[in-house]
Amino acid sequence: MGKKGWFSMENLKGISKNQLLVGGLAGILLLVIALPTEQGKKPEGGGSETQSGAPEEKIYTDPESYGRELERKLGQILAEMEGVGKVEVMITLQDDGERIVEKDITRNSQEVLEGDGETKRETRESQYQEGSVFGQETGQEGQPFVSKEVVPKVEGVLVVAEGGGNAKTVKNISDAVLALFPVEVHKIKVVKMN
């Protein structure tokens, strides 16, 4: 396989347009998600790096910290909207998210047909094994390899804003929350701040 062997038109022929579109959108989504965390990695005091010299990744293993980060970001963006003013945000999460562990699956099947004259004998064997895949990197031994992490789902959003008494501002806030989170309209509440 030459330099261009891994990326050729022959390899792309087996991939449908929908698969390419989904792959492209997934790549864009990952890029959008990764960009905001890059700013948080470079504090003024010399940077946050692990002992190996690589920058720390911002992974929310605790659903509470994930919820607080969502509240902080939503509060910041809503405060920038016209007519909103000072704002406080509370987000409730439906679950704790999910970590999908990579599995090593082995399936064996064997079928034997024997016969001599009038006697026929049929033998079938089937075997199934499943085990977790563990990381091989330093510091990760004994930790299962997580292939996918699903973030917690947003259950409801409460926004307390200075401009919460104005119907147009309330609608703009609700529309912004609907655009950012997959919640139902009746689970978004916007009220006026004292």
Side-chain angles (χ1 to χ4, degrees):
M1 192 179 277
K3 289 183 180 178
K4 64 178 184 174
W6 66 273
F7 185 75
S8 67
M9 290 307 288
E10 294 169 4
N11 291 341
L12 291 177
K13 287 180 183 176
I15 301 173
S16 72
K17 289 181 182 178
N18 286 342
Q19 289 173 328
L20 284 174
L21 180 64
V22 169
L25 291 176
I28 292 170
L29 178 63
L30 287 174
L31 181 64
V32 169
I33 290 172
L35 285 177
T37 60
E38 292 294 324
Q39 295 170 351
K41 287 183 185 178
K42 300 174 186 171
E44 294 176 17
S48 168
E49 294 190 357
T50 59
Q51 290 180 345
S52 65
E56 278 185 27
E57 289 185 32
K58 201 171 201 179
I59 299 175
Y60 299 104
T61 55
D62 178 24
E64 227 174 271
S65 63
Y66 174 73
R68 283 193 302 269
E69 182 67 13
L70 285 178
E71 289 171 353
R72 184 187 67 77
K73 286 181 178 179
L74 181 59
Q76 281 180 342
I77 198 70
L78 290 178
E80 297 295 322
M81 291 174 59
E82 183 181 345
V84 175
K86 188 177 173 186
V87 67
E88 291 290 328
V89 176
M90 180 178 175
I91 295 177
T92 57
L93 301 175
Q94 191 175 47
D95 54 26
D96 292 341
E98 182 180 9
R99 298 180 94 188
I100 299 170
V101 177
E102 187 68 32
K103 297 285 185 178
D104 186 16
I105 298 172
T106 306
R107 290 187 176 111
N108 292 328
S109 181
Q110 184 178 14
E111 189 173 318
V112 178
L113 293 173
E114 294 178 354
D116 58 357
E118 295 179 15
T119 310
K120 290 186 180 179
R121 193 171 81 210
E122 186 175 317
T123 307
R124 291 184 185 180
E125 291 180 22
S126 182
Q127 184 181 22
Y128 175 82
Q129 276 184 317
E130 183 176 302
S132 295
V133 176
F134 291 92
Q136 298 295 323
E137 296 176 12
T138 308
Q140 284 196 356
E141 290 185 26
Q143 295 289 327
F145 180 76
V146 177
S147 64
K148 183 178 176 184
E149 191 164 343
V150 179
V151 295
K153 295 177 183 168
V154 174
E155 175 74 23
V157 179
L158 171 65
V159 179
V160 181
E162 285 180 328
N166 182 332
K168 182 179 178 184
T169 302
V170 169
K171 174 141 179 44
N172 287 340
I173 291 171
S174 293
D175 289 346
V177 172
L178 280 172
L180 294 171
F181 302 109
V183 295
E184 299 166 12
V185 176
H186 70 278
K187 295 193 176 189
I188 300 171
K189 183 68 177 172
V190 180
V191 295
K192 183 171 175 41
M193 182 180 281
N194 284 337

